[in-house]
């Protein structure tokens, strides 16, 4: 399972910006909260992130208290938490793991360290080796490295008493009561002052970094706008210069092209004028061609005419023979049934028709 989205909790805008850029470079969706309270509201109302990056020291609810609240909620207890802190001691890492921290990322974050932490987290999530959520250990926020520990017994309680009252106590007294001497008050006051100064310095430095970040961002935005305006002006001037130079060049090229086209058109006009119309040679060739065509046509028509006359004679002869044969047959039939006079008249009529047909055909194809 890949780590796709993260919740980044830090009161410093600079720290949030730096870490969010590193996470965004790994194609991760980043949501940010400026305080622990805001992070808890986000977890209660929004989608659960794959991992939470929690700052250690924050005004109000610090990182340790926020981790206790997250691990105490069964809906968010399974979300792995990576604490972002400047402490690097092994004892602090052990204490952090006791109250539910998966791993620690030292400030300021680096690409290599972040990659190692996220790769180990992805491996544990994929392999199912992620530590099971458990009730966080009841430990307070880890003290600063430079804070002086109070050398008090584990079951000791403090009691206001003058220095003269300090003396041995009976064995039956429990718990042991420590006299609140001036040295102990000084030690407690020094520890409280250091803690207050450390927290105040952290707030002031965060505000200073945020102010410097906002100032730098505004300066970068203004510089970017000025640079963009200067580039636009330069490009506009360059475009105008190019248009001016190219307009002159276009005029020169157009004049040269027109001159060349005029020369070519003049040459073509001369060539057309020289080759236009039919010359005497062309006329002689055309006349010879027409004569040869007429000769061929005349011979062709004569051949067709002679063939047509011959076919007409053959048709006339066949027709006359057919008519004569029919007439003879008719005469024979009529001779058998009629008188000889009628037979003679029929024969005369048939011969007359045959003669007229021969004459008509001869006149048609003559």
């Amino acid at each position: 399972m890949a780590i796709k989205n993260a919740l980044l909790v830090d009161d410093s805008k600079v720290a949030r910006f730096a870490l969010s850029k590193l996470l965004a470079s790994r194609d991760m969706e980043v949501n940010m909260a400026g305080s622990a309270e805001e992070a808890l509201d986000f977890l209660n109302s929004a989608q659960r992130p794959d991992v939470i990056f929690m700052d250690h020291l924050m005004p109000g609810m610090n990182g340790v208290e926020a981790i206790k609240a997250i691990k105490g909620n069964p809906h968010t207890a399974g979300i792995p938490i990576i604490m972002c802190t400047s402490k690097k001691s092994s004892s602090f890492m052990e204490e952090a793991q006791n109250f539910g921290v998966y791993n620690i990322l030292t400030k300021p974050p680096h690409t290599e360290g972040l990659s190692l932490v996220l790769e180990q987290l992805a491996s544990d999530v994929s392999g199912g080796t992620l530590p099971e959520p458990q009730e966080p250990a009841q430990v307070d926020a880890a003290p600063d490295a430079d804070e002086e520990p109070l050398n008090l017994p584990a079951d000791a309680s403090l009691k206001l008493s003058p220095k003269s009252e300090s003396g041995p106590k009976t064995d039956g007294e429990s718990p042991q009561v420590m006299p609140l001497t001036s040295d102990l008050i000084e030690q407690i006051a020094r520890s409280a002052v250091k803690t207050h100064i450390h927290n105040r310095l952290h707030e002031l430095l965060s505000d200073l970094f945020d102010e410097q970040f906002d100032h730098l961002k505004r300066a970068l935005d203004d510089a970017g706008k000025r640079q963009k305006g200067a580039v636009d002006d330069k490009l506009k001037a360059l475009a105008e210069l190019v248009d001016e130079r190219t307009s002159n060049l276009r005029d020169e090229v157009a004049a040269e092209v027109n001159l060349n086209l005029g020369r070519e058109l003049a040459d073509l006009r001369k060539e057309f004028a020289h080759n236009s119309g039919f010359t005497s040679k062309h006329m002689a060739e055309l006349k010879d061609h027409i004569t040869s065509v007429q000769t061929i046509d005349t011979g062709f028509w004569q051949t067709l005419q002679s063939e047509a006359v011959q076919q007409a004679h053959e048709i006339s002869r066949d027709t006359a023979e057919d008519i004569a044969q029919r007439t003879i047959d008719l005469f024979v039939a009529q001779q058998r049934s009629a008188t000889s006079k009628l037979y003679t008249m029929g024969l005369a009529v048939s011969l007359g028709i045959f003669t007229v047909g021969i004459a008509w055909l001869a006149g048609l194809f003559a």
Side-chain angles (χ1 to χ4, degrees):
M1 175 182 176
I3 307 301
K4 295 295 185 181
N5 55 78
L7 174 61
L8 176 55
V9 185
D10 201 311
D11 61 316
S12 173
K13 293 181 181 178
V14 177
R16 292 200 304 268
F17 177 79
L19 185 54
S20 65
K21 288 298 182 182
L22 293 178
L23 296 175
S25 64
R26 302 176 62 90
D27 297 330
M28 292 181 60
E29 180 182 354
V30 181
N31 295 298
M32 293 185 288
S35 64
E37 293 83 359
E38 184 180 349
L40 295 178
D41 293 339
F42 176 84
L43 293 175
N44 291 330
S45 60
Q47 184 180 1
R48 302 291 186 268
D50 296 332
V51 62
I52 299 175
F53 290 88
M54 181 70 69
D55 185 26
H56 178 204
L57 298 176
M58 292 183 291
M61 180 184 290
N62 59 27
V64 175
E65 296 171 346
I67 292 173
K68 290 181 181 180
I70 293 173
K71 293 300 180 180
N73 186 351
H75 298 289
T76 59
I79 304 175
I81 301 176
I82 298 174
M83 176 169 281
C84 302
T85 180
S86 57
K87 293 189 176 183
K88 304 179 182 179
S89 62
S90 58
S91 60
F92 177 76
M93 295 181 66
E94 293 177 359
E95 292 176 0
Q97 291 176 353
N98 289 334
F99 51 79
V101 173
Y102 171 78
N103 208 332
I104 290 179
L105 183 65
T106 57
K107 283 186 173 183
H110 298 282
T111 304
E112 296 78 6
L114 179 63
S115 299
L116 291 176
V117 172
L118 290 179
E119 289 173 3
Q120 181 64 37
L121 176 60
S123 176
D124 290 341
V125 172
S126 300
T129 58
L130 193 69
E132 293 294 331
Q134 56 186 356
E135 188 69 22
Q138 298 297 324
V139 297
D140 295 332
D144 293 337
D146 56 351
E147 184 177 344
E148 298 180 1
L150 300 178
N151 298 321
L152 300 176
D155 59 349
S157 61
L158 299 181
K159 177 181 178 182
L160 289 175
S161 61
K163 292 183 180 180
S164 60
E165 293 182 0
S166 60
K169 302 294 181 180
T170 60
D171 295 337
E173 293 180 356
S174 180
Q176 181 181 0
V177 177
M178 295 294 296
L180 191 60
T181 63
S182 59
D183 294 337
L184 185 58
I185 293 174
E186 181 181 358
Q187 186 179 1
I188 295 174
R190 187 184 299 110
S191 176
V193 168
K194 284 185 177 181
T195 302
H196 177 74
I197 292 175
H198 181 82
N199 292 335
R200 184 56 180 167
L201 285 176
H202 178 74
E203 295 177 2
L204 293 176
L205 287 175
S206 297
D207 294 339
L208 178 61
F209 286 152
D210 293 342
E211 182 180 355
Q212 293 297 326
F213 173 75
D214 294 337
H215 178 72
L216 180 60
K217 187 175 184 300
R218 287 194 300 270
L220 290 176
D221 292 340
D222 294 339
K225 291 178 181 179
R226 289 195 299 269
Q227 185 178 7
K228 184 177 182 300
V231 170
D232 292 340
D233 295 339
K234 190 67 176 177
L235 289 177
K236 184 177 180 181
L238 183 60
E240 293 176 355
L241 180 60
V242 170
D243 289 339
E244 181 181 357
R245 298 288 178 85
T246 53
S247 62
N248 297 332
L249 182 61
R250 285 196 300 268
D251 295 338
E252 294 177 0
V253 171
E256 187 68 22
V257 170
N258 290 333
L259 181 60
N260 291 333
L261 288 177
R263 291 175 181 174
E264 292 181 1
L265 289 175
D267 295 338
L268 289 175
R269 191 179 295 109
K270 291 178 181 179
E271 185 177 356
F272 287 153
H274 179 71
N275 296 328
S276 61
F278 288 104
T279 61
S280 57
K281 182 180 180 181
H282 293 160
M283 292 297 294
E285 292 178 355
L286 181 59
K287 183 177 180 181
D288 294 339
H289 178 70
I290 293 175
T291 302
S292 62
V293 171
Q294 288 179 348
T295 302
I296 294 173
D297 292 342
T298 302
F300 177 72
W301 282 108
Q302 289 177 355
T303 303
L304 289 179
Q305 186 177 4
S306 60
E307 291 179 356
V309 171
Q310 183 178 359
Q311 291 178 1
H313 282 293
E314 292 177 356
I315 293 173
S316 300
R317 184 174 62 252
D318 293 339
T319 304
E321 290 177 356
D322 184 52
I323 293 174
Q325 184 63 38
R326 290 182 180 181
T327 302
I328 292 172
D329 294 339
L330 181 61
F331 173 74
V332 172
Q334 289 180 355
Q335 188 179 14
R336 292 176 182 176
S337 61
T339 61
S340 57
K341 184 178 180 181
L342 293 176
Y343 173 76
T344 303
M345 291 177 64
L347 181 59
V349 170
S350 297
L351 291 175
I353 293 172
F354 173 75
T355 303
V356 173
I358 294 297
W360 179 76
L361 290 174
L364 179 62
F365 294 100

